[in-house]
Amino acid sequence: MLFSSRTSRYTAAMRDSTDMVHLGRDGWLFLTGGTNRVRQQYRASLRMAWRLWRWRRLIEARTAKAAGLGSRAFHVVVPEKLSIYDDRLDGLAIDPALSPARRLGARLARSPAARAWIDLVGPLRAARDAEPPLYLRTDTHWSQEGCRLAYGEIMRALGAVPPADLGARPFHDHDGVRDLGAKFDPPLRETMRVYQVQRDAVRVYANPLVEGHEARGTAADLHVGAHVVFRNESAAADPRTLMLFGDSCSHFHPIFLTGLLAESFRELHFVWSASLDWTYVERVRPHLLLVEVAERFLARVPMDQFDVEAEGARRLDGWEGGGAGI
């Protein structure tokens, strides 16, 4: 991964005046604002404590309901860069001990759903001095290396073994403007290494929303409501079915967790949503149910009334009609 250290002295103007992005040491950019008010989540407030209590109760309820369906449920929160690379903030006062993911993990450690929690804060912080970095400098997302480290932790929790040759898959380097780099004028660029992990897994289903965006070349604009299924007939694949509810750290393209897990299990169902569609879970009856959510989205507690089919149709209608459905 390539990035100039000179950006630590970058003087370009932000595209807006909001307290959105912090420029740290050596060109590291951190999301601090936005609709989820990321920085405020690192404060010891009653509002945040109440929200984390509700998350704990939600995870406990999900774990129990999944068990009633014969499934084992797991939850994993992808930490913000603020929670991992606080040593690179350069002047921004953040207490990493108040990381929402860390606090939620501590609450779940004393819960009946303790085994449903997969901690990533500890492993990622322990490896934060590694090269290449675990996150992209100019993006909110983890790098391929960070995703793979998390994948290893997830596989261990699921009692599964990664394919032996997964680390030898081909890759290419892609230079571009990432989500935080785009907030500067001129935009900051970064080179990201992308592994082509998909080999044995075959996508056997994509909902009309995904297919429509792909056909028009607008897949990069797609998020909530995306729904895909992969099938893997390799003899080395874990024979179980895994259902994954997640976000852009998983993705419907096989580039992050979705791709790694599709190469690891006989069948993988991915739904882009933090809220669960229990009707769909009941229909598939997966052996394993995994929920992935980026830490900043802990600001909102889902109601678990998601209907992936209806949501996909609604967003497709809004998009094709020229509305703001997507």
Side-chain angles (χ1 to χ4, degrees):
M1 187 177 303
L2 304 176
F3 194 89
S4 172
S5 62
R6 290 180 295 176
T7 50
S8 61
R9 299 185 297 275
Y10 197 76
T11 58
M14 292 285 291
R15 291 188 183 276
D16 57 56
S17 59
T18 59
D19 183 20
M20 176 82 68
V21 181
H22 172 72
L23 176 59
R25 178 164 58 86
D26 296 331
W28 280 84
L29 301 182
F30 297 86
L31 179 66
T32 54
T35 57
N36 296 299
R37 301 180 178 181
V38 177
R39 188 178 179 184
Q40 293 186 24
Q41 294 187 47
Y42 290 77
R43 296 174 181 172
S45 66
L46 289 176
R47 176 179 295 182
M48 196 63 199
W50 167 245
R51 193 173 293 133
L52 293 175
W53 180 85
R54 291 174 60 205
W55 265 105
R56 191 195 78 177
R57 293 298 301 271
L58 176 65
I59 291 173
E60 290 171 346
R62 285 173 168 177
T63 302
K65 187 167 184 174
L69 297 173
S71 301
R72 293 182 62 199
F74 296 86
H75 285 74
V76 61
V77 171
V78 178
E80 295 297 308
K81 288 194 305 190
L82 291 170
S83 299
I84 306 302
Y85 286 116
D86 59 292
D87 58 333
R88 307 180 191 191
L89 289 174
D90 192 22
L92 182 67
I94 287 287
D95 184 355
L98 294 179
S99 152
R102 182 180 287 189
R103 286 187 281 171
L104 179 57
R107 285 164 170 76
L108 284 165
R110 304 184 296 271
S111 163
R115 292 187 179 182
W117 178 254
I118 304 174
D119 173 54
L120 292 184
V121 176
L124 287 168
R125 283 183 65 87
R128 69 181 182 178
D129 293 328
E131 288 293 338
L134 305 175
Y135 285 72
L136 298 168
R137 279 183 171 89
T138 63
D139 199 278
T140 57
H141 296 88
W142 49 20
S143 64
Q144 299 277 303
E145 289 74 21
C147 183
R148 284 176 179 244
L149 190 155
Y151 161 76
E153 296 296 320
I154 292 169
M155 291 291 282
R156 184 161 33 253
L158 300 184
V161 179
D165 64 343
L166 196 59
R169 302 290 168 89
F171 62 85
H172 68 275
D173 290 332
H174 178 264
D175 177 72
V177 176
R178 313 299 168 190
D179 59 9
L180 297 181
K183 300 297 182 182
F184 288 78
D185 187 13
L188 297 174
R189 304 182 68 86
E190 184 173 7
T191 299
M192 173 183 177
R193 177 153 293 182
V194 180
Y195 285 86
Q196 298 166 255
V197 298
Q198 186 179 6
R199 186 192 64 193
D200 300 324
V202 177
R203 196 177 80 180
V204 295
Y205 174 78
N207 67 349
L209 183 64
V210 172
E211 291 183 331
H213 273 278
E214 289 179 337
R216 298 194 185 188
T218 57
D221 300 328
L222 179 55
H223 39 85
V224 175
H227 177 204
V228 294
V229 180
F230 288 86
R231 182 78 182 173
N232 186 344
E233 299 295 345
S234 168
D238 188 297
R240 293 175 292 180
T241 295
L242 169 64
M243 184 174 291
L244 169 63
F245 285 83
D247 50 39
S248 55
C249 291
S250 294
H251 216 285
F252 61 92
H253 283 314
I255 54 174
F256 282 139
L257 276 182
T258 294
L260 293 168
L261 294 170
E263 285 295 303
S264 306
F265 289 90
R266 180 73 67 227
E267 192 166 292
L268 174 74
H269 297 244
F270 171 71
V271 176
W272 194 318
S273 172
S275 180
L276 302 193
D277 181 341
W278 281 109
T279 299
Y280 184 53
V281 176
E282 290 175 11
R283 185 164 72 247
V284 176
R285 299 287 178 117
H287 301 90
L288 302 166
L289 174 63
L290 175 64
V291 182
E292 172 271 314
V293 60
E295 187 172 15
R296 60 187 172 277
F297 296 134
L298 293 178
R300 289 166 283 177
V301 183
M303 298 297 293
D304 279 358
Q305 296 177 346
F306 193 70
D307 183 328
V308 63
E309 186 173 343
E311 182 67 11
R314 183 186 72 81
R315 289 178 176 266
L316 183 63
D317 288 344
W319 173 55
E320 290 182 336
I326 295 178

